[in-house]
Amino acid sequence: MSSTSSAATTLLADLGGTNVRFALADPSLASPLLLDSVKRYRVSNFPSMADTIRQYFADTGLSASRAVIAAAGRIVDGETVKVTNNPWLVSAHGLQDALGLTSVRLVNDFAAQGMAVPLLRHEQLQAVGPQKLPNTGEHQTQTFVVMGPGTGLGVAGLLLRDGRWTVLETEGGHAGFAAHTAEDVEILHRLNARFGRVSNERMICGNGIVNLYLALADIEGLPAEEFTPEDITARAVEGTDKLCVRTVETLAGIFGSVAGDLVLSLGGWDGVFLTGGVLPILLPWLQHGGFRERFESKGRFKETMQQVPTVAMMHPEPGLLGAAAIAVLESGKSLLPSSNA
């Protein structure tokens, strides 16, 4: 473990419904996230966030005076969050008092993933398509889209303005699904019959893979198996089930359409960063499937869209990395190279 003193460190947490990951950050370092300090705990094993943090400090022998907590939920007044599928109610001031910390910052988990982008090195990125990797901080003004499928579909904007990075938090995953092809229309009809309003998240997330599989089975008049998302993607990778292959290929195309729409909506001309727990499974299909074709198929903006890079974030802990970036900003330092700061 790192021997950095507690006075210079910030506790980081990436809190989801099932697990919470902890690490320390040293904002004075060029790579502030201390990867050797990362540990994961199951939420169900602890009565509260404070108890879990005490266990982390006891297990590692580490300590910190400040904390940045990225949580999978809506942050109310910067003070409290109720995480989806998680029994804990987390309060910033409550944690600060319980643990004797000087400050606790609560942020949305996807906002943290967006803030990870300025700290990512090129070797931690993988281009999806022929466009070159974007250089964050290269221009005085930049706008990126950050999006990714996990339990749901997270969407954020990342803006560089006046020498400072800012995350625009959105609920873009819940925007209505826009059908672009005849098959899209058929899929939409079936999901509309099941759910009423159909959002992008109904397809582009873990459970969305199953929704899409069932819709395609009905379109083809084929019997649908009781598959999990893992079942479908495994059979697609193996090539043993044509309907599973088609499901993942179709998902890649729809993902591309939605990503392109977000570029138009947010003005994310500098690039799209893809992240999320389902991304590693989908990435091979995004590389050789219809993702880029449908991403670029935006009518009069096609030539412009062909210049917009799409990039997969390959860092193992993007939520913690983004929390570390926030810790850097809170320490008064810049995330820009010194020549641009």
Side-chain angles (χ1 to χ4, degrees), residues 91-110:
S91 160
H93 279 96
L95 281 177
Q96 187 173 325
D97 292 343
L99 299 169
L101 300 173
T102 59
S103 73
V104 175
R105 171 85 180 273
L106 288 180
V107 298
N108 174 265
D109 65 327
F110 215 80

Side-chain angles (χ1 to χ4, degrees), residues 35-323:
L35 280 171
D36 62 350
S37 68
V38 176
K39 285 186 72 69
R40 183 180 71 174
Y41 297 86
R42 289 190 66 83
V43 167
S44 60
N45 291 340
F46 297 89
S48 71
M49 183 69 165
D51 287 303
T52 320
I53 292 172
R54 290 189 187 99
Q55 189 64 55
Y56 171 74
F57 285 152
D59 289 345
T60 61
L62 300 171
S63 61
S65 58
R66 306 168 65 87
V68 176
I69 297 171
R74 181 172 174 268
I75 312 299
V76 180
D77 297 328
E79 167 60 23
T80 59
V81 61
K82 176 66 177 73
V83 181
T84 306
N85 300 320
N86 181 318
W88 298 343
L89 178 65
V90 178
S91 160
H93 279 96
L95 281 177
Q96 187 173 325
D97 292 343
L99 299 169
L101 300 173
T102 59
S103 73
V104 175
R105 171 85 180 273
L106 288 180
V107 298
N108 174 265
D109 65 327
F110 215 80
Q113 294 210 35
M115 284 304 302
V117 169
L119 290 180
L120 290 167
R121 301 187 301 272
H122 274 195
E123 61 267 28
Q124 296 168 331
L125 301 169
Q126 184 172 330
V128 179
Q131 294 74 17
K132 68 176 183 178
L133 295 173
N135 291 314
T136 56
E138 183 178 31
H139 306 291
Q140 290 186 346
T141 297
Q142 289 182 306
T143 304
F144 298 96
V145 173
V146 184
M147 65 179 300
T151 304
L153 175 61
V155 174
L158 179 66
L159 290 72
L160 177 61
R161 301 289 189 274
D162 299 322
R164 187 173 179 87
W165 290 104
T166 304
V167 168
L168 175 64
E169 297 183 39
T170 85
E171 290 295 343
H174 293 282
F177 170 59
H180 293 281
T181 68
E183 183 178 67
D184 284 356
V185 172
E186 293 297 322
I187 292 168
L188 178 58
H189 284 164
R190 284 155 177 82
L191 295 185
N192 181 257
R194 287 183 62 196
F195 300 112
R197 180 181 182 274
V198 179
S199 68
N200 294 322
E201 188 174 270
R202 288 295 187 188
M203 285 162 285
I204 309 174
C205 70
N207 288 333
I209 296 172
V210 177
N211 295 337
L212 190 55
Y213 168 81
L214 294 173
L216 291 171
D218 191 59
I219 291 170
E220 293 295 319
L222 297 172
E225 303 291 340
E226 293 187 6
F227 285 156
T228 65
E230 293 78 13
D231 294 333
I232 295 167
T233 53
R235 284 165 172 76
V237 170
E238 295 164 0
T240 56
D241 187 311
K242 291 183 179 180
L243 183 58
C244 290
V245 171
R246 185 179 169 196
T247 297
V248 182
E249 289 177 340
T250 302
L251 177 57
I254 291 172
F255 194 179
S257 284
V258 173
D261 286 345
L262 286 167
V263 170
L264 298 176
S265 299
L266 296 177
W269 310 117
D270 293 292
V272 178
F273 286 89
L274 306 173
T275 183
V278 180
L279 181 66
I281 299 170
L282 294 180
L283 189 55
W285 305 94
L286 302 183
Q287 294 283 17
H288 64 68
F291 177 85
R292 276 299 308 192
E293 179 183 354
R294 290 191 56 169
F295 176 83
E296 296 169 3
S297 295
K298 299 301 175 187
R300 287 167 288 179
F301 275 83
K302 182 172 184 177
E303 289 187 5
T304 302
M305 296 297 292
Q306 288 173 337
Q307 308 306 312
V308 178
T310 47
V311 183
M313 297 165 57
M314 306 305 291
H315 193 281
E317 299 288 352
L320 291 174
L321 184 66

